[in-house]
Amino acid sequence: RLYGHFEDEKYCYLIMQYIPNKDLFELIPTNGRKPNIKLITSIMKGLISAVYYLHSMKPIIIHRDIKPENILLDNNYNAYLTDFGWSNYMANSQIKRTTVCGTPLYLPPEMIEQLGHDETVDIWCIGILLFELITGTTPFEGNDFKTVAHNITELKITWPPKMDPDAKDLVSKILKLKGKDRLPIEQILSHKFFGKYFPNAVNELIKPEHQNNRTFIISKDAPNNCGEDS
């Protein structure tokens, strides 16, 4: 939440809600530590609800940089989606965005191939994040970005042998090469992976009730990617 702001000669300062715990990166299982599936489903439910809210706005807001470091947790492990520096909007569903942005390991195939993208890039990132929280690794391996990018565009997922079967089924339905084939948010929350702990999760989704006609976006899209994303 933004409480206010003030400026000096050099900077603009934003007074924001204080989130006292940590970011989601610290919950990624490492060194053989087993994931807490119930906690993961709770955190992901909150994140997915935030993305649903953004995608329900008019115009649609796309985050474009969903990753563990950009999800903060309070003392009750409620998730807060932060860092909207790469965010932008979809004013026309027929015109896609063209900027390549975000985190390399989380990039969707349409960004890598520069085919244009829409809000389904956020769905892709949800799938990558879920995979990483369950396994401690990202699904597309490689020692350099060229190899990772190749594996992403060919959908060569490295599945761990003991991955939670419900999580694997859900991730496989999210990580699709084409955005239109990715599981919609309502169906993600209706999946049995969430249903084990939150059978009514989809009923908790909310849309913006009151929204001004004007949406202000400050984006750090690169200057050489002008046009629509300027």
Side-chain angles (χ1 to χ4, degrees):
R1 181 177 176 181
L2 179 67
Y3 289 103
H5 74 281
F6 60 94
E7 302 106 30
D8 60 21
E9 293 181 355
K10 292 185 177 181
Y11 302 104
C12 176
Y13 301 88
L14 305 179
I15 306 170
M16 303 185 71
Q17 181 180 3
Y18 174 59
I19 310 299
N21 201 337
K22 61 187 72 176
D23 64 49
L24 195 54
F25 187 80
E26 297 189 33
L27 289 186
I28 295 174
T30 56
N31 301 321
R33 178 163 53 98
K34 293 184 178 180
N36 184 331
I37 300 297
K38 185 175 182 179
L39 179 59
I40 289 171
T41 55
S42 176
I43 293 171
M44 289 298 297
K45 180 172 71 73
L47 168 66
I48 292 168
S49 297
V51 174
Y52 179 83
Y53 188 93
L54 294 174
H55 290 184
S56 299
M57 295 184 75
K58 296 179 181 180
I60 292 171
I61 301 297
I62 48 178
H63 188 277
R64 302 200 298 188
D65 197 19
I66 295 173
K67 59 182 179 180
E69 297 92 326
N70 287 343
I71 301 164
L72 303 182
L73 303 172
D74 65 15
N75 287 330
N76 295 317
Y77 288 94
N78 295 307
Y80 294 80
L81 182 59
T82 66
D83 193 350
F84 283 73
W86 278 123
S87 297
N88 222 312
Y89 64 94
M90 295 293 300
N92 187 329
S93 61
Q94 304 301 316
I95 301 176
K96 294 188 174 183
R97 290 287 177 189
T98 57
T99 300
V100 178
C101 56
T103 301
L105 292 174
Y106 276 66
L107 286 181
E110 60 267 35
M111 271 195 184
I112 293 174
E113 297 182 324
Q114 300 184 41
L115 299 176
H117 60 271
D118 56 22
E119 69 272 15
T120 57
V121 297
D122 289 342
I123 304 295
W124 173 274
C125 290
I126 287 172
I128 301 290
L129 179 62
L130 178 59
F131 187 102
E132 189 170 12
L133 288 174
I134 296 292
T135 68
T137 62
T138 50
F140 302 101
E141 295 183 343
N143 295 323
D144 52 64
F145 178 69
K146 182 178 180 180
T147 303
V148 172
H150 172 77
N151 289 335
I152 290 174
T153 56
E154 296 295 323
L155 206 62
K156 293 184 176 180
I157 301 174
T158 304
W159 297 104
K162 296 182 179 181
M163 183 174 179
D164 179 275
D166 290 337
K168 181 177 180 180
D169 181 74
L170 178 55
V171 169
S172 68
K173 293 176 179 177
I174 295 175
L175 297 184
K176 300 291 187 180
L177 290 177
K178 296 182 179 180
K180 64 180 182 64
D181 296 330
R182 294 167 196 158
L183 209 62
I185 286 179
E186 295 92 331
Q187 294 183 35
I188 292 176
L189 287 183
S190 298
H191 190 274
K192 56 185 177 180
F193 176 76
F194 287 96
K196 290 184 294 187
Y197 302 106
F198 302 100
N200 300 312
V202 69
N203 297 328
E204 299 177 18
L205 293 173
I206 59 174
K207 295 182 178 181
E209 293 183 0
H210 306 287
Q211 183 181 337
N212 295 328
N213 293 326
R214 301 177 68 187
T215 299
F216 296 90
I217 301 291
I218 301 175
S219 179
K220 60 184 179 184
D221 288 328
N224 61 340
N225 289 320
C226 296
E228 191 205 354
D229 266 17
S230 300

